[in-house]
Amino acid sequence: MQYMVFIAHSMIYLSTAVVLISGVLMMGRDISIFGIFSIPSLVTDVQFLSLFSVIHNVACMCLGLLLLLHVAAVIKHQLCGHAVLKRMFA
């Protein structure tokens, strides 16, 4: 069971990293950070921009499903009498 938890959390972390990295790489223009400074576009080739956009969309869907699964697991454990939320906030 602990191995499954480790795998699930690792997949959430990996999906989050892929979403963030592909989100930056799919931008075809400079990225403004709160108007303070900007990061120039790292990729200019239209085919690569399209590829990173597809990767970003798939990773977002996977992350959403993983988070839904995570919330469902927390609810299931709470209903079974395991104080998961109490341990999380303690």
Side-chain angles (χ1 to χ4, degrees):
M1 184 62 93
Q2 286 182 340
Y3 184 69
M4 255 177 39
V5 170
F6 173 77
I7 293 296
H9 282 101
S10 296
M11 289 176 62
I12 291 172
Y13 300 142
L14 178 64
S15 295
T16 301
V18 171
V19 166
L20 293 173
I21 292 167
S22 63
V24 169
L25 293 175
M26 74 177 209
M27 296 296 291
R29 55 182 165 70
D30 292 352
I31 303 167
S32 176
I33 309 296
F34 303 114
I36 299 171
F37 65 95
S38 64
I39 301 171
S41 178
L42 300 173
V43 178
T44 56
D45 186 6
V46 176
Q47 290 179 338
F48 281 120
L49 291 173
S50 177
L51 173 67
F52 286 122
S53 179
V54 169
I55 292 171
H56 182 76
N57 289 333
V58 170
C60 284
M61 287 186 271
C62 288
L63 181 59
L65 289 173
L66 287 167
L67 291 178
L68 188 65
L69 179 68
H70 192 273
V71 170
V74 169
I75 292 170
K76 179 217 175 250
H77 282 88
Q78 282 296 123
L79 293 175
C80 290
H82 300 114
V84 176
L85 290 176
K86 186 176 180 182
R87 285 194 337 229
M88 286 173 52
F89 295 114

